[in-house]
Amino acid sequence: MANLTISNRSAADTAGDALVVALVPGDGGATLAPGHGLPRKTVAHLKSVVTDLELAGKVGEVTTLAAVPEVAAKLVVLAGVGQLAADASALEDVRKGIGGAIRSLSRKKKVAVVVPGTSVEVVSAVAEGVALGAYAVSKAGTRSTDAVAAVALVGPADAASRRAVKRAAALGEAVAYTRDLVNLPPNLLYPETFVDSLADRVKGTKVKLKSYDMKALRAGGFGGTVGVGQGSANEPRIAVLSYTPTRPKASIAFVGKGITFDSGGLCIKPANGMLTMKCDMAGAAAVAGAVLAIAELGLPIAVTGYLGLAENMPSSTAQRPSDVVTMRGGTTVEVLNTDAEGRMVLGDCIALASESKPDAIVDIATLTGAQVVALANTAAVMGNDDDFRTRVLDAASTVGEAMWPMPLPTELRPGLDSINADLAHKGGAEGGMLTAGIFLSEFVGEGIPWSHLDIAGPAYNDKAPTGYWPKGGTGFGVRTLVGLAESYV
């Protein structure tokens, strides 16, 4: 994660490997965003380049120039950020535009970024774009040093702007940790080592860690988690991260699906279907990142993260279709397809979270292929309380993570009836994303507002990098969970 600072120094006099200057669309082509403060000769040169190259200032347009007159930096990078405005969509364009520019500068040690304006909203968007873009995928088991090492924002250095930069740095560090976890190969990240990573990460923080091993899971009645993990040599775990400030204004529970590798179990996936299944723990990783960020920011909100960790493998000890297991809380569930395993660990964790009677519960999971088919890289949001679901959606919109409301139709509930158990764990082919949400709703404590985030699409980018998204784990969901906590402050 890059060291991130802000000052009102002169952009032209700021030495370093590169200076990033924003471009916005204008009549007949791009123009330099306001507030750059660059010398007249520099501006004339840049305007000439913009005209010659027919730059438009659109988001994602990144142009690198050398030998720009009267600029101390070795390179000047022109970054299209779209139309500047105060609305959520325009601020997200700033994040993407600046993030893409920073991502293009990998292996540079020191970069300066001119803030295109003076509002704290724009400062925050620029800082977040930097923090999210300054990431490089690590080789297995290491932390990459290819990302930009230090970024100095050139803009207003008032107290509000400094707080915005501090927040962006905390979010960037949390998202980077989440991405690192998702990108780790499954022979290095499995339930036990996931817990080990959490134990290392919480040292020196105000976050406490508790974990349940296989013996404790059996004793605690976590039949869903035990059933999913019993086919693997790597035993399952449930990890609980808790942050409890003095006199909290609210208490929220985050629940994350943490299937460290999903082969499908006995209902095995085709080979190509397994290629990205190391990312099936992205929900748990997002919960870990969010709890750590909330603690780092010192928000007056009590947050507990429940991470259901298991490896879904086929073996002579694996659970079978038609097995009946008893979940935390006593609900019996008939397993119909072992490749629909995520809802089982989530059900256990939601039931556990409900026992503490938090003000709200949010679960987040790479849960269904149906979400990807329906919404691609837009996450689905379901829930038992319209007001709370709207609160989650508002938080997502504010931070720039694409989410869309989906229903939980009551007419689909009979599809989860079973003659052998209280509940079948899977419905028919139609509405798979929705019946998964209905299943999870059965484990939410009475009267507790709850939302379910299906992030199967946006959690992992298996295509080319774009904006502040690298290839691989995206860290999607961390900022929404933090934004939700902030909404209670």
Side-chain angles (χ1 to χ4, degrees), residues 35-52:
H36 54 76
L38 293 171
R40 187 174 301 174
K41 189 174 181 180
T42 305
V43 171
H45 178 82
L46 295 179
K47 284 183 175 180
S48 175
V49 170
V50 167
T51 299
D52 291 344

Side-chain angles (χ1 to χ4, degrees), residues 220-225 325-333 343-349 351 423 439 443:
F222 296 98
T225 306
V325 301
T326 302
M327 307 285 285
R328 177 76 174 191
T331 299
T332 57
V333 174
R343 65 198 68 188
M344 302 298 283
V345 301
L346 288 174
D348 275 344
C349 288
L423 194 63
F439 176 87
F443 300 92

Side-chain angles (χ1 to χ4, degrees), residues 314-339:
S315 76
S316 62
T317 61
Q319 68 178 359
R320 297 150 290 237
S322 76
D323 278 0
V324 173
V325 301
T326 302
M327 307 285 285
R328 177 76 174 191
T331 299
T332 57
V333 174
E334 181 182 12
V335 176
L336 300 181
N337 184 329
T338 63
D339 193 24

Side-chain angles (χ1 to χ4, degrees), residues 147-306:
V148 174
V151 180
L153 302 189
V154 179
D158 55 273
S161 295
R162 290 196 299 271
R163 285 194 298 270
V165 170
K166 181 181 178 181
R167 176 182 179 276
L171 287 176
E173 187 62 37
V175 170
Y177 178 53
T178 300
R179 290 170 173 173
D180 283 347
L181 288 171
V182 174
N183 289 328
L184 275 172
N187 62 317
L188 296 181
L189 187 76
Y190 42 91
E192 182 181 359
T193 57
F194 200 133
V195 173
D196 290 343
S197 175
L198 296 174
D200 288 340
R201 197 71 178 194
V202 301
K203 290 177 181 176
T205 74
K206 295 181 179 180
V207 177
K208 296 181 180 179
L209 170 66
K210 177 183 178 180
S211 66
Y212 297 77
D213 61 12
M214 182 64 113
K215 182 179 179 180
L217 292 172
R218 292 187 188 278
F222 296 98
T225 306
V226 169
V228 172
Q230 70 188 38
S232 174
N234 297 309
E235 294 183 343
R237 298 283 192 275
I238 287 179
V240 181
L241 294 169
S242 57
Y243 163 66
T244 309
T246 304
R247 294 188 294 277
K249 295 184 177 181
S251 63
I252 310 175
F254 297 150
V255 174
K257 173 187 172 183
I259 304 301
T260 57
F261 185 76
D262 182 18
S263 70
L266 292 181
C267 300
I268 197 163
K269 295 177 183 290
N272 286 343
M274 295 189 210
L275 290 177
T276 60
M277 282 300 99
K278 68 177 184 178
C279 83
D280 214 16
M281 37 59 67
V287 167
V291 174
L292 289 163
I294 289 166
E296 174 69 20
L297 293 170
L299 298 182
I301 307 298
V303 180
T304 306
Y306 299 85

Side-chain angles (χ1 to χ4, degrees), residues 279-472:
C279 83
D280 214 16
M281 37 59 67
V287 167
V291 174
L292 289 163
I294 289 166
E296 174 69 20
L297 293 170
L299 298 182
I301 307 298
V303 180
T304 306
Y306 299 85
L307 287 66
L309 308 174
E311 187 175 59
N312 188 26
M313 298 291 283
S315 76
S316 62
T317 61
Q319 68 178 359
R320 297 150 290 237
S322 76
D323 278 0
V324 173
V325 301
T326 302
M327 307 285 285
R328 177 76 174 191
T331 299
T332 57
V333 174
E334 181 182 12
V335 176
L336 300 181
N337 184 329
T338 63
D339 193 24
E341 80 299 326
R343 65 198 68 188
M344 302 298 283
V345 301
L346 288 174
D348 275 344
C349 288
I350 290 172
L352 178 62
S354 296
E355 293 169 12
S356 298
K357 301 187 184 304
D359 294 321
I361 297 174
V362 178
D363 78 76
I364 180 168
T366 51
L367 202 60
T368 66
Q371 182 277 322
V372 184
V373 172
L375 297 174
N377 284 332
T378 296
V381 185
M382 290 154 262
N384 63 1
D385 183 287
D386 287 346
D387 289 341
F388 183 61
R389 186 184 66 172
T390 298
R391 188 172 196 147
V392 173
L393 288 163
D394 287 346
S397 176
T398 298
V399 303
E401 292 191 317
M403 298 193 185
W404 194 255
M406 297 297 289
L408 294 177
T410 56
E411 62 267 23
L412 294 180
R413 173 59 183 82
L416 296 177
D417 288 342
S418 167
I419 62 171
N420 295 310
D422 298 324
L423 194 63
H425 100 302
K426 192 175 187 296
E430 296 180 350
M433 172 173 53
L434 309 183
T435 54
I438 293 169
F439 176 87
L440 295 178
S441 72
E442 297 282 330
F443 300 92
V444 180
E446 185 176 355
I448 301 174
W450 156 80
S451 278
H452 161 56
L453 279 57
D454 193 334
I455 63 167
Y460 194 84
N461 177 28
D462 59 358
K463 301 178 178 62
T466 179
Y468 52 70
W469 273 14
K471 187 170 184 176

